[in-house]
Amino acid sequence: MNKKVLFVFGTRPEAIKMAPLVKAFQAASQFDTKVCVTAQHREMLDQVLDFFEIIPDFDLNIMEPNQTLNSITAKILLEMKPVLDTFNPDLVFVHGDTTTTMAASLAAFYSGAKIGHIEAGLRTFNKRLPFPEESNRRITSVVADYHFAPTQTSKDNLLRENVAEDSILVTGNTVIDALLESVEIVKDLKHPEIDMLKALLQEGQEVLLITGHRRENHGDGFIQICEALKEIALKNPSMLLIYPVHLNPNVLEPVNRILGMIPNIKLIHPLSYPAFIWLMNRSKIIITDSGGVQEEAPSLGKPVLVMRETTERPEAVEAGTVILVGTDKEKIVRETQELIENSSKMERMSQLHNPYGDGAACSRIVAFVSKL
Ligand code: UD1
Ligand code: UDP
Protein backbone atom coordinates (compact mmCIF):
# COMPACT_ATOMS: atom_id res chain seq x y z
CA MET A 1 0.00 0.00 0.00
CA ASN A 2 1.20 3.53 -0.78
CA LYS A 3 2.63 5.54 2.08
CA LYS A 4 0.28 8.44 2.94
CA VAL A 5 2.08 11.77 3.12
CA LEU A 6 0.51 15.06 4.21
CA PHE A 7 2.16 18.44 3.60
CA VAL A 8 1.04 21.26 5.92
CA PHE A 9 1.99 24.89 5.42
CA GLY A 10 0.43 28.31 5.74
CA THR A 11 2.61 31.31 4.90
CA ARG A 12 4.30 32.61 1.75
CA PRO A 13 7.84 31.38 2.51
CA GLU A 14 6.72 27.92 3.61
CA ALA A 15 4.72 27.58 0.39
CA ILE A 16 7.69 28.60 -1.80
CA LYS A 17 10.02 26.19 -0.02
CA MET A 18 7.50 23.30 0.08
CA ALA A 19 6.28 23.68 -3.52
CA PRO A 20 9.12 21.79 -5.25
CA LEU A 21 8.92 19.06 -2.59
CA VAL A 22 5.15 18.65 -3.04
CA LYS A 23 5.78 18.28 -6.79
CA ALA A 24 8.53 15.72 -6.19
CA PHE A 25 6.31 13.59 -3.93
CA GLN A 26 3.34 13.89 -6.31
CA ALA A 27 5.58 12.60 -9.09
CA ALA A 28 6.72 9.56 -7.07
CA SER A 29 4.14 6.78 -7.52
CA GLN A 30 4.84 5.06 -4.19
CA PHE A 31 3.22 7.91 -2.22
CA ASP A 32 -0.34 9.08 -1.74
CA THR A 33 0.35 12.81 -1.32
CA LYS A 34 -2.07 15.43 0.00
CA VAL A 35 -1.67 19.12 0.83
CA CYS A 36 -3.27 20.97 3.75
CA VAL A 37 -2.90 24.75 3.90
CA THR A 38 -3.70 26.54 7.12
CA ALA A 39 -3.82 29.82 5.15
CA GLN A 40 -2.14 31.65 8.03
CA HIS A 41 -1.50 33.97 5.05
CA ARG A 42 -4.30 34.23 2.51
CA GLU A 43 -3.39 36.45 -0.43
CA MET A 44 0.38 35.96 -0.10
CA LEU A 45 -0.10 32.17 0.08
CA ASP A 46 -2.47 32.09 -2.89
CA GLN A 47 0.07 33.99 -5.01
CA VAL A 48 2.48 31.08 -4.50
CA LEU A 49 -0.10 28.30 -4.97
CA ASP A 50 -1.14 29.91 -8.28
CA PHE A 51 2.41 30.14 -9.63
CA PHE A 52 3.33 26.55 -8.71
CA GLU A 53 -0.16 25.27 -9.67
CA ILE A 54 -0.77 23.52 -6.35
CA ILE A 55 -4.41 22.87 -5.42
CA PRO A 56 -4.76 22.12 -1.70
CA ASP A 57 -6.79 19.11 -0.62
CA PHE A 58 -7.63 20.80 2.69
CA ASP A 59 -7.81 24.55 3.34
CA LEU A 60 -8.26 25.64 6.97
CA ASN A 61 -8.63 29.31 5.91
CA ILE A 62 -7.69 30.60 9.38
CA MET A 63 -6.27 34.07 8.60
CA GLU A 64 -7.86 37.07 10.25
CA PRO A 65 -6.67 40.71 10.17
CA ASN A 66 -3.92 41.47 12.70
CA GLN A 67 -4.16 37.95 14.10
CA THR A 68 -2.54 36.91 17.37
CA LEU A 69 -0.15 34.02 17.93
CA ASN A 70 -2.74 32.53 20.26
CA SER A 71 -5.52 32.55 17.69
CA ILE A 72 -3.32 31.04 14.96
CA THR A 73 -2.19 28.26 17.32
CA ALA A 74 -5.62 27.49 18.76
CA LYS A 75 -7.36 27.39 15.37
CA ILE A 76 -4.75 25.11 13.82
CA LEU A 77 -4.78 22.67 16.73
CA LEU A 78 -8.56 22.35 16.54
CA GLU A 79 -8.93 22.37 12.77
CA MET A 80 -6.09 19.95 11.97
CA LYS A 81 -7.81 17.19 13.98
CA PRO A 82 -10.53 16.31 11.41
CA VAL A 83 -7.96 16.54 8.59
CA LEU A 84 -5.65 14.09 10.36
CA ASP A 85 -8.57 11.82 11.30
CA THR A 86 -9.87 11.76 7.70
CA PHE A 87 -6.60 11.21 5.83
CA ASN A 88 -4.77 9.34 8.61
CA PRO A 89 -1.27 10.08 7.17
CA ASP A 90 1.81 7.99 7.89
CA LEU A 91 4.01 11.05 7.62
CA VAL A 92 3.29 14.77 8.03
CA PHE A 93 5.73 17.26 6.55
CA VAL A 94 6.08 20.70 8.12
CA HIS A 95 8.52 23.42 7.22
CA GLY A 96 10.71 25.83 9.16
CA ASP A 97 9.59 27.99 12.04
CA THR A 98 6.21 29.64 11.66
CA THR A 99 3.33 29.26 14.08
CA THR A 100 1.70 27.02 11.45
CA THR A 101 4.78 24.77 11.67
CA MET A 102 4.72 24.54 15.44
CA ALA A 103 0.94 24.04 15.80
CA ALA A 104 0.66 21.57 12.90
CA SER A 105 3.56 19.53 14.34
CA LEU A 106 1.86 19.35 17.69
CA ALA A 107 -1.45 18.32 16.10
CA ALA A 108 0.36 15.63 14.05
CA PHE A 109 2.17 14.42 17.16
CA TYR A 110 -1.11 14.10 19.07
CA SER A 111 -2.56 12.12 16.15
CA GLY A 112 0.28 9.59 16.27
CA ALA A 113 1.61 10.37 12.77
CA LYS A 114 5.34 10.56 12.12
CA ILE A 115 6.66 14.07 11.47
CA GLY A 116 9.26 15.19 8.93
CA HIS A 117 10.69 18.64 9.59
CA ILE A 118 12.04 20.42 6.51
CA GLU A 119 14.65 23.15 7.16
CA ALA A 120 15.36 21.76 10.62
CA GLY A 121 18.12 22.72 13.02
CA LEU A 122 18.53 26.46 12.42
CA ARG A 123 19.26 28.24 15.70
CA THR A 124 20.18 31.65 17.07
CA PHE A 125 20.30 30.23 20.64
CA ASN A 126 18.17 33.17 21.77
CA LYS A 127 14.61 31.95 22.29
CA ARG A 128 13.20 35.43 21.67
CA LEU A 129 15.13 36.21 18.48
CA PRO A 130 13.59 35.89 15.97
CA PHE A 131 10.28 35.97 17.85
CA PRO A 132 8.51 33.59 17.97
CA GLU A 133 10.33 31.62 15.25
CA GLU A 134 13.36 30.37 17.22
CA SER A 135 11.10 28.74 19.81
CA ASN A 136 8.67 27.47 17.16
CA ARG A 137 11.59 25.73 15.50
CA ARG A 138 12.87 24.19 18.73
CA ILE A 139 9.39 22.91 19.72
CA THR A 140 9.05 21.32 16.27
CA SER A 141 12.43 19.60 16.68
CA VAL A 142 11.21 18.01 19.93
CA VAL A 143 8.21 16.30 18.29
CA ALA A 144 9.72 15.61 14.85
CA ASP A 145 10.88 12.11 13.86
CA TYR A 146 12.95 13.04 10.78
CA HIS A 147 15.00 16.21 10.57
CA PHE A 148 15.93 17.53 7.11
CA ALA A 149 18.75 19.95 7.87
CA PRO A 150 19.74 22.36 5.09
CA THR A 151 23.42 22.56 6.09
CA GLN A 152 26.03 20.77 8.20
CA THR A 153 25.81 23.67 10.69
CA SER A 154 22.10 22.99 11.23
CA LYS A 155 22.81 19.25 11.60
CA ASP A 156 25.46 20.03 14.24
CA ASN A 157 22.93 22.15 16.16
CA LEU A 158 20.56 19.17 16.30
CA LEU A 159 23.31 16.75 17.36
CA ARG A 160 24.13 19.11 20.25
CA GLU A 161 20.49 18.71 21.35
CA ASN A 162 20.95 14.91 21.32
CA VAL A 163 18.80 14.32 18.25
CA ALA A 164 19.67 10.83 16.90
CA GLU A 165 22.13 11.12 14.03
CA ASP A 166 20.32 8.57 11.84
CA SER A 167 17.16 10.72 11.96
CA ILE A 168 18.98 13.72 10.41
CA LEU A 169 19.68 14.21 6.71
CA VAL A 170 21.66 17.16 5.33
CA THR A 171 19.76 18.15 2.18
CA GLY A 172 20.54 21.73 1.14
CA ASN A 173 17.67 24.19 1.28
CA THR A 174 14.62 23.51 -0.90
CA VAL A 175 14.46 27.28 -1.51
CA ILE A 176 17.34 26.79 -3.96
CA ASP A 177 15.41 24.02 -5.77
CA ALA A 178 12.47 26.45 -6.10
CA LEU A 179 14.72 29.30 -7.18
CA LEU A 180 16.74 27.45 -9.81
CA GLU A 181 13.59 26.01 -11.36
CA SER A 182 11.78 29.37 -11.34
CA VAL A 183 14.69 31.52 -12.58
CA GLU A 184 14.52 29.58 -15.88
CA ILE A 185 10.76 30.12 -16.17
CA VAL A 186 11.06 33.84 -15.34
CA LYS A 187 13.55 34.42 -18.20
CA ASP A 188 10.84 34.13 -20.87
CA LEU A 189 7.80 34.92 -18.76
CA LYS A 190 5.27 37.53 -19.90
CA HIS A 191 3.87 38.77 -16.61
CA PRO A 192 1.89 41.93 -15.79
CA GLU A 193 3.86 42.57 -12.58
CA ILE A 194 7.17 42.35 -14.45
CA ASP A 195 5.79 44.83 -17.02
CA MET A 196 4.77 47.12 -14.14
CA LEU A 197 8.30 46.93 -12.67
CA LYS A 198 9.89 47.67 -16.05
CA ALA A 199 7.65 50.73 -16.37
CA LEU A 200 8.88 52.05 -12.98
CA LEU A 201 12.53 51.90 -14.04
CA GLN A 202 14.61 54.11 -16.27
CA GLU A 203 17.22 52.50 -18.54
CA GLY A 204 20.25 51.50 -16.41
CA GLN A 205 18.81 52.92 -13.18
CA GLU A 206 20.24 51.27 -10.07
CA VAL A 207 17.78 49.52 -7.78
CA LEU A 208 17.85 48.94 -4.06
CA LEU A 209 15.30 46.26 -3.12
CA ILE A 210 13.81 46.24 0.36
CA THR A 211 11.63 43.79 2.28
CA GLY A 212 10.85 43.66 6.00
CA HIS A 213 8.27 42.17 8.32
CA ARG A 214 9.74 40.60 11.51
CA ARG A 215 7.61 40.78 14.64
CA GLU A 216 10.57 41.73 16.87
CA ASN A 217 11.10 44.80 14.62
CA HIS A 218 7.49 46.01 14.94
CA GLY A 219 7.26 49.40 16.66
CA ASP A 220 10.57 51.22 17.20
CA GLY A 221 12.56 48.83 14.95
CA PHE A 222 10.41 49.66 11.92
CA ILE A 223 10.55 53.38 12.62
CA GLN A 224 14.38 53.20 12.65
CA ILE A 225 14.38 51.10 9.47
CA CYS A 226 12.07 53.55 7.66
CA GLU A 227 14.08 56.58 8.80
CA ALA A 228 17.25 54.88 7.49
CA LEU A 229 15.62 54.12 4.13
CA LYS A 230 14.47 57.73 3.86
CA GLU A 231 18.02 58.97 4.41
CA ILE A 232 19.48 56.47 1.91
CA ALA A 233 16.93 57.61 -0.70
CA LEU A 234 17.78 61.28 -0.14
CA LYS A 235 21.54 60.63 -0.35
CA ASN A 236 21.16 58.65 -3.61
CA PRO A 237 18.55 60.51 -5.69
CA SER A 238 19.42 58.69 -8.93
CA MET A 239 18.74 55.27 -7.39
CA LEU A 240 15.27 53.78 -7.10
CA LEU A 241 14.34 52.07 -3.82
CA ILE A 242 11.58 49.50 -4.42
CA TYR A 243 9.78 48.08 -1.39
CA PRO A 244 7.07 45.42 -1.83
CA VAL A 245 5.38 46.01 1.51
CA HIS A 246 4.28 43.00 3.59
CA LEU A 247 0.51 43.03 4.30
CA ASN A 248 0.92 42.95 8.09
CA PRO A 249 -0.79 46.14 9.39
CA ASN A 250 2.11 46.66 11.85
CA VAL A 251 4.37 47.00 8.80
CA LEU A 252 2.04 48.81 6.40
CA GLU A 253 1.30 51.68 8.80
CA PRO A 254 4.83 52.99 9.57
CA VAL A 255 6.11 52.25 6.06
CA ASN A 256 3.32 54.22 4.37
CA ARG A 257 3.49 57.05 6.91
CA ILE A 258 7.27 57.59 6.81
CA LEU A 259 8.13 56.59 3.21
CA GLY A 260 4.91 57.28 1.30
CA MET A 261 5.96 60.67 -0.12
CA ILE A 262 9.64 60.14 -1.04
CA PRO A 263 9.98 60.47 -4.84
CA ASN A 264 12.63 57.77 -5.35
CA ILE A 265 10.97 55.22 -3.05
CA LYS A 266 8.27 53.05 -4.63
CA LEU A 267 6.05 51.22 -2.16
CA ILE A 268 4.30 48.40 -3.96
CA HIS A 269 2.01 45.45 -3.17
CA PRO A 270 3.75 42.12 -2.33
CA LEU A 271 4.94 40.68 -5.63
CA SER A 272 4.16 37.24 -6.94
CA TYR A 273 7.21 34.98 -6.66
CA PRO A 274 8.32 35.16 -10.35
CA ALA A 275 8.12 38.97 -10.36
CA PHE A 276 10.07 39.10 -7.11
CA ILE A 277 12.81 36.90 -8.61
CA TRP A 278 12.92 39.21 -11.64
CA LEU A 279 13.32 42.20 -9.32
CA MET A 280 16.03 40.54 -7.19
CA ASN A 281 17.95 39.88 -10.39
CA ARG A 282 17.54 43.51 -11.49
CA SER A 283 18.71 44.92 -8.11
CA LYS A 284 22.14 46.15 -7.08
CA ILE A 285 21.73 45.57 -3.33
CA ILE A 286 19.02 43.94 -1.22
CA ILE A 287 18.13 45.20 2.26
CA THR A 288 15.90 42.81 4.17
CA ASP A 289 15.00 41.10 7.44
CA SER A 290 13.64 38.07 5.55
CA GLY A 291 14.98 34.57 6.10
CA GLY A 292 14.26 33.30 2.59
CA VAL A 293 15.63 36.35 0.80
CA GLN A 294 18.93 35.94 2.71
CA GLU A 295 19.19 32.44 1.24
CA GLU A 296 18.12 33.28 -2.32
CA ALA A 297 20.08 36.46 -2.98
CA PRO A 298 23.60 34.93 -2.81
CA SER A 299 22.55 32.45 -5.55
CA LEU A 300 21.77 35.43 -7.77
CA GLY A 301 25.05 37.15 -6.85
CA LYS A 302 23.33 39.95 -4.92
CA PRO A 303 24.83 41.41 -1.73
CA VAL A 304 22.40 41.44 1.19
CA LEU A 305 22.23 43.73 4.22
CA VAL A 306 20.19 42.02 6.92
CA MET A 307 18.25 44.24 9.32
CA ARG A 308 18.48 41.89 12.28
CA GLU A 309 20.65 41.75 15.38
CA THR A 310 21.30 38.04 14.99
CA THR A 311 20.60 35.36 12.41
CA GLU A 312 19.90 31.64 12.48
CA ARG A 313 21.51 31.58 9.01
CA PRO A 314 25.19 32.25 9.81
CA GLU A 315 26.52 30.46 6.72
CA ALA A 316 26.16 33.39 4.29
CA VAL A 317 27.51 35.85 6.87
CA GLU A 318 30.58 33.61 7.21
CA ALA A 319 30.82 33.27 3.41
CA GLY A 320 30.72 37.08 3.19
CA THR A 321 27.64 37.54 0.96
CA VAL A 322 25.47 38.81 3.83
CA ILE A 323 26.18 41.59 6.35
CA LEU A 324 24.16 41.94 9.56
CA VAL A 325 23.26 45.61 10.03
CA GLY A 326 20.68 45.38 12.84
CA THR A 327 17.89 47.94 13.11
CA ASP A 328 19.91 50.97 14.18
CA LYS A 329 19.32 53.81 11.72
CA GLU A 330 22.92 55.09 11.61
CA LYS A 331 24.34 51.61 11.05
CA ILE A 332 21.92 50.75 8.24
CA VAL A 333 22.74 54.03 6.45
CA ARG A 334 26.52 53.70 7.00
CA GLU A 335 26.77 50.08 5.78
CA THR A 336 24.52 50.73 2.77
CA GLN A 337 26.49 53.81 1.71
CA GLU A 338 29.74 51.91 2.06
CA LEU A 339 28.49 49.22 -0.27
CA ILE A 340 27.15 51.75 -2.78
CA GLU A 341 30.42 53.72 -2.80
CA ASN A 342 32.97 50.89 -2.48
CA SER A 343 32.80 49.07 -5.81
CA SER A 344 35.51 46.53 -4.97
CA LYS A 345 33.63 45.44 -1.81
CA MET A 346 30.44 45.25 -3.88
CA GLU A 347 32.22 43.17 -6.53
CA ARG A 348 33.70 40.81 -3.91
CA MET A 349 30.33 40.19 -2.25
CA SER A 350 28.63 39.52 -5.60
CA GLN A 351 31.06 36.80 -6.56
CA LEU A 352 30.98 34.66 -3.45
CA HIS A 353 29.57 31.17 -3.26
CA ASN A 354 26.04 30.31 -2.05
CA PRO A 355 26.21 27.98 0.98
CA TYR A 356 22.54 26.97 0.97
CA GLY A 357 22.26 24.26 -1.62
CA ASP A 358 22.60 22.90 -5.13
CA GLY A 359 18.97 22.49 -6.14
CA ALA A 360 18.82 18.75 -5.31
CA ALA A 361 17.35 18.97 -1.78
CA CYS A 362 13.97 17.58 -2.82
CA SER A 363 15.34 14.49 -4.54
CA ARG A 364 17.46 13.74 -1.44
CA ILE A 365 14.37 13.95 0.77
CA VAL A 366 12.29 11.71 -1.53
CA ALA A 367 15.09 9.12 -1.64
CA PHE A 368 15.40 9.14 2.18
CA VAL A 369 11.64 8.78 2.76
CA SER A 370 11.37 6.05 0.10
CA LYS A 371 13.66 3.85 2.21
CA LEU A 372 11.70 4.26 5.48
C1 UD1 B 1 4.50 35.15 9.40
C2 UD1 B 1 5.36 34.23 10.27
C3 UD1 B 1 6.84 34.54 10.08
C4 UD1 B 1 7.22 34.53 8.61
C5 UD1 B 1 6.28 35.46 7.84
C6 UD1 B 1 6.57 35.40 6.37
C7 UD1 B 1 4.56 33.51 12.48
C8 UD1 B 1 4.35 33.88 13.89
N1 UD1 B 1 5.05 34.46 11.69
O1 UD1 B 1 4.64 36.48 9.89
O2 UD1 B 1 7.62 33.58 10.75
O3 UD1 B 1 8.55 34.97 8.46
O4 UD1 B 1 4.92 35.05 8.07
O5 UD1 B 1 5.97 36.45 5.68
O6 UD1 B 1 4.27 32.41 12.09
N2 UD1 B 1 -1.77 39.52 6.11
C9 UD1 B 1 -2.70 39.73 5.11
N3 UD1 B 1 -2.64 38.95 3.99
C10 UD1 B 1 -1.69 38.00 3.80
C11 UD1 B 1 -0.74 37.81 4.81
C12 UD1 B 1 -0.79 38.56 5.97
O7 UD1 B 1 -3.56 40.59 5.23
O8 UD1 B 1 -1.70 37.36 2.75
C13 UD1 B 1 -1.84 40.35 7.35
C14 UD1 B 1 -3.04 39.96 8.24
O9 UD1 B 1 -3.55 41.11 8.85
C15 UD1 B 1 -2.37 39.04 9.27
C16 UD1 B 1 -1.05 39.76 9.45
O10 UD1 B 1 -0.67 40.15 8.13
O11 UD1 B 1 -3.12 38.95 10.47
C17 UD1 B 1 0.05 38.98 10.12
O12 UD1 B 1 0.22 37.69 9.54
P1 UD1 B 1 1.02 36.57 10.40
O13 UD1 B 1 1.11 35.33 9.59
O14 UD1 B 1 0.42 36.45 11.76
O15 UD1 B 1 2.44 37.22 10.65
P2 UD1 B 1 3.58 37.62 9.63
O16 UD1 B 1 4.18 38.86 10.16
O17 UD1 B 1 3.06 37.58 8.26
N1 UDP C 1 8.84 37.08 -1.84
C1 UDP C 1 7.84 37.19 -2.81
N2 UDP C 1 7.29 38.42 -3.03
C2 UDP C 1 7.64 39.52 -2.33
C3 UDP C 1 8.64 39.39 -1.32
C4 UDP C 1 9.22 38.14 -1.10
O1 UDP C 1 7.50 36.21 -3.47
O2 UDP C 1 7.08 40.60 -2.58
C5 UDP C 1 9.43 35.73 -1.59
C6 UDP C 1 10.93 35.66 -1.56
O3 UDP C 1 11.45 35.33 -2.84
C7 UDP C 1 11.21 34.55 -0.53
C8 UDP C 1 10.01 34.61 0.39
O4 UDP C 1 9.02 35.37 -0.27
O5 UDP C 1 11.24 33.27 -1.14
C9 UDP C 1 10.37 35.24 1.72
O6 UDP C 1 9.21 35.46 2.45
P1 UDP C 1 9.16 36.38 3.73
O7 UDP C 1 10.24 37.39 3.66
O8 UDP C 1 7.75 36.86 3.85
O9 UDP C 1 9.39 35.36 4.93
P2 UDP C 1 10.69 34.76 5.65
O10 UDP C 1 11.53 34.11 4.62
O11 UDP C 1 11.36 35.86 6.38
O12 UDP C 1 10.11 33.78 6.62
Side-chain angles (χ1 to χ4, degrees):
M1 211 170 73
N2 280 356
K3 196 179 290 241
K4 291 201 271 180
V5 173
L6 180 68
F7 284 83
V8 187
F9 50 89
T11 66
R12 170 174 67 189
E14 292 165 81
I16 291 169
K17 291 168 165 184
M18 286 292 228
L21 195 59
V22 169
K23 299 276 184 194
F25 272 87
Q26 284 173 339
S29 56
Q30 70 271 38
F31 298 108
D32 176 4
T33 303
K34 291 203 187 297
V35 173
C36 172
V37 295
T38 64
Q40 176 178 335
H41 287 173
R42 185 73 272 173
E43 184 184 344
M44 287 159 57
L45 172 76
D46 292 343
Q47 284 180 316
V48 182
L49 296 176
D50 285 351
F51 175 66
F52 286 100
E53 298 177 333
I54 292 174
I55 300 166
D57 300 281
F58 307 95
D59 189 335
L60 308 185
N61 198 25
I62 66 153
M63 197 196 89
E64 52 188 81
N66 217 359
Q67 59 207 2
T68 63
L69 298 174
N70 304 52
S71 79
I72 304 170
T73 307
K75 283 182 177 177
I76 293 173
L77 272 178
L78 288 175
E79 294 185 26
M80 281 292 300
K81 171 102 172 84
V83 173
L84 291 160
D85 287 349
T86 308
F87 184 44
N88 194 19
D90 300 298
L91 181 61
V92 175
F93 277 116
V94 292
H95 181 282
D97 59 12
T98 70
T99 294
T100 285
T101 315
M102 184 275 293
S105 305
L106 200 53
F109 176 67
Y110 290 158
S111 80
K114 291 272 169 63
I115 299 161
H117 187 197
I118 311 297
E119 203 187 71
L122 281 65
R123 297 288 185 270
T124 62
F125 305 103
N126 178 338
K127 67 183 174 191
R128 292 193 172 79
L129 279 182
F131 178 84
E133 289 83 0
E134 171 82 0
S135 293
N136 281 345
R137 209 182 280 269
R138 289 199 217 173
I139 293 166
T140 305
S141 292
V142 170
V143 292
D145 298 278
Y146 309 110
H147 310 259
F148 299 98
T151 66
Q152 185 62 41
T153 306
S154 39
K155 176 176 176 178
D156 291 343
N157 291 337
L158 291 165
L159 290 175
R160 268 197 292 274
E161 291 169 12
N162 294 324
V163 174
E165 183 157 17
D166 62 1
S167 69
I168 308 171
L169 181 72
V170 176
T171 59
N173 199 306
T174 59
V175 78
I176 305 300
D177 299 35
L179 182 69
L180 296 183
E181 189 186 309
S182 307
V183 150
E184 284 308 309
I185 298 169
V186 169
K187 270 186 195 152
D188 302 315
L189 191 69
K190 271 301 289 168
H191 194 288
E193 290 179 19
I194 298 177
D195 291 341
M196 176 274 291
L197 292 168
K198 285 181 180 163
L200 284 180
L201 287 161
Q202 288 159 20
E203 183 79 25
Q205 188 175 24
E206 290 186 329
V207 175
L208 248 164
L209 170 60
I210 298 127
T211 79
H213 67 84
R214 302 237 78 84
R215 257 168 213 262
E216 67 271 19
N217 291 344
H218 292 176
D220 187 52
F222 259 98
I223 293 172
Q224 295 266 333
I225 288 170
C226 290
E227 292 292 346
L229 295 172
K230 185 172 165 184
E231 194 167 325
I232 293 163
L234 296 176
K235 278 182 192 273
N236 302 281
S238 65
M239 289 183 96
L240 189 64
L241 282 68
I242 305 184
Y243 187 165
V245 188
H246 193 286
L247 296 178
N248 193 321
N250 300 294
V251 177
L252 279 167
E253 190 284 319
V255 170
N256 284 320
R257 176 165 48 80
I258 303 172
L259 302 177
M261 301 301 282
I262 318 276
N264 60 330
I265 298 186
K266 294 288 172 218
L267 303 179
I268 59 174
H269 202 69
L271 290 166
S272 65
Y273 182 56
F276 189 75
I277 292 176
W278 184 92
L279 185 57
M280 279 198 286
N281 251 328
R282 178 64 181 74
S283 302
K284 182 181 171 78
I285 299 170
I286 301 174
I287 308 183
T288 188
D289 66 14
S290 161
V293 177
Q294 281 177 68
E295 294 159 338
E296 292 162 339
S299 267
L300 302 174
K302 302 297 169 181
V304 188
L305 299 174
V306 175
M307 299 180 292
R308 291 168 64 167
E309 303 303 332
T310 174
T311 179
E312 65 282 24
R313 296 173 169 86
E315 296 88 348
V317 179
E318 283 154 18
T321 61
V322 163
I323 301 176
L324 281 186
V325 295
T327 54
D328 174 66
K329 176 188 164 190
E330 304 307 327
K331 189 159 185 212
I332 297 172
V333 174
R334 192 174 61 245
E335 296 277 0
T336 308
Q337 279 310 118
E338 197 192 326
L339 210 48
I340 292 171
E341 287 159 17
N342 184 340
S343 54
S344 55
K345 182 171 180 179
M346 177 77 205
E347 190 67 13
R348 226 175 25 253
M349 282 183 80
S350 313
Q351 284 169 1
L352 291 164
H353 164 75
N354 179 346
Y356 293 115
D358 57 2
C362 295
S363 54
R364 290 188 187 102
I365 296 166
V366 173
F368 180 96
V369 176
S370 299
K371 289 192 210 120
L372 291 175

